[in-house]
Amino acid sequence: MNAWLAQWQAAMEMLAWPIALLALPLPLLLRWALPPARQSSPALRVPYGHRLDPVAQGASRGVRGAGPGWLAWLAWAALCLAAARPQVLGDPVQPPRVGRDLMLALDLSGSMSEIDMELGSRAVDRLTAAKAVIADFLSRRDGDRVALLVFGRRAYALTPLTLDRESVREQLDDSVVGLAGQETAIGDAIALAVKRLRSQPAEQRVLILLTDGVNTAGILDPLKAAELARSEGVRVHTIAFGGEGSLSLFGFRLPMPGAGDEIDEATLQRVAELTGGKSFRARDTNELAGIYAQIDRMEPIRRPGKALRPRLERYPWPLGAAFVLALLAFAWRGRRA
């Protein structure tokens, strides 16, 4: 009994619309519910008519049970089966997916509060400008798994690698200066990213690190962390972000003492070289947007997606059978007539 039920369930799973099979007894229900057709042809009254009734009934049963009747029933059953859309599973396929596993590391140290950037003709701090550019970058990374890491005195992973870029964007919006401390632990940020990317395929491990300072905290030196990243196959793209000591406001350049003097470009360049990445320098919001656009244009890596077995439609077979059976039924009726 259980085996029969399992076979029945398997058969039903091969039908896209199994509810269409409920129409099978419809002709019987209509025949039972509707009144019989009345004869409008002239009739001959004879005194022995009651003797002919059994003969007429027998002939009627013979006509109903023979001829095209069974062909019409088979045609209706095939039509109902076609309406249920029988399907079969095709061979497994693995459609390619295009994307990378990206770790975004964002500096939240105290210097990111410097107001030396412009965004929409208004002066903003570095973090606000960086968040706007990164959010736009996220909107173009369809197919990537993205994670967000922030660092200051310590490094923290806010989101794991995920295809849900909206959750990454929400965590990015909630990030504020000083959330991870006022200092800058670049080496620890790289090491944490390597730890999170270690389990991913080597050719897909990418870290994009943005900072405006030098390594002033943490346990690991940035170059030592870069060697660790190289040994684990993690490419690190570094972005040195900060103004050159002045800010354009209403068309005038205002000096910003100390701005742009505390970015260790040499170390960031060396980190990128050691890991096979690229080093960039962004002095304003437009340059930063151009850098992320350049990273976005990098050739994506193809990887196999989840194996799928496509469902192949087989309804044309019962539909064609229904058409042929209906033609045979009409032809049989015409020959008997």
Side-chain angles (χ1 to χ4, degrees), residues 82-131:
R85 287 181 55 199
Q87 301 172 334
V88 296
L89 293 177
D91 295 331
V93 294
Q94 281 188 301
R97 290 183 58 187
V98 178
R100 286 194 175 100
D101 293 327
L102 290 177
M103 180 76 72
L104 304 179
L106 178 62
D107 189 351
L108 296 183
S109 63
S111 57
M112 289 292 287
S113 61
E114 291 282 351
I115 305 177
D116 61 348
M117 295 292 152
E118 293 182 11
L119 186 64
S121 300
R122 62 186 180 92
V124 297
D125 59 72
R126 295 173 182 176
L127 179 59
T128 300
K131 287 162 67 172

Side-chain angles (χ1 to χ4, degrees), residues 191-243:
L192 180 58
V194 170
K195 180 180 179 182
R196 293 303 181 97
L197 292 169
R198 180 177 296 160
S199 61
Q200 307 307 318
E203 67 276 6
Q204 300 174 17
R205 304 172 189 171
V206 179
L207 168 64
I208 304 174
L209 183 142
L210 183 148
T211 182
D212 70 339
V214 298
N215 190 75
T216 58
I219 300 174
L220 203 59
D221 179 78
L223 295 181
K224 292 293 184 181
E227 293 176 359
L228 176 64
R230 179 176 61 181
S231 66
E232 296 293 341
V234 177
R235 297 193 309 279
V236 182
H237 303 297
T238 60
I239 303 174
F241 183 45

Side-chain angles (χ1 to χ4, degrees), residues 291-305:
I291 289 169
Y292 276 98
Q294 182 176 345
I295 296 174
D296 182 58
R297 289 192 298 269
M298 290 181 179
E299 185 65 23
I301 297 173
R302 288 185 172 271
R303 59 184 177 189

Side-chain angles (χ1 to χ4, degrees), residues 145-164:
R145 295 201 306 163
V146 185
L148 178 63
L149 181 153
V150 297
F151 62 97
R153 189 171 185 271
R154 297 179 181 273
Y156 301 96
L158 294 187
T159 64
L161 287 168
T162 177
L163 291 170
D164 185 5

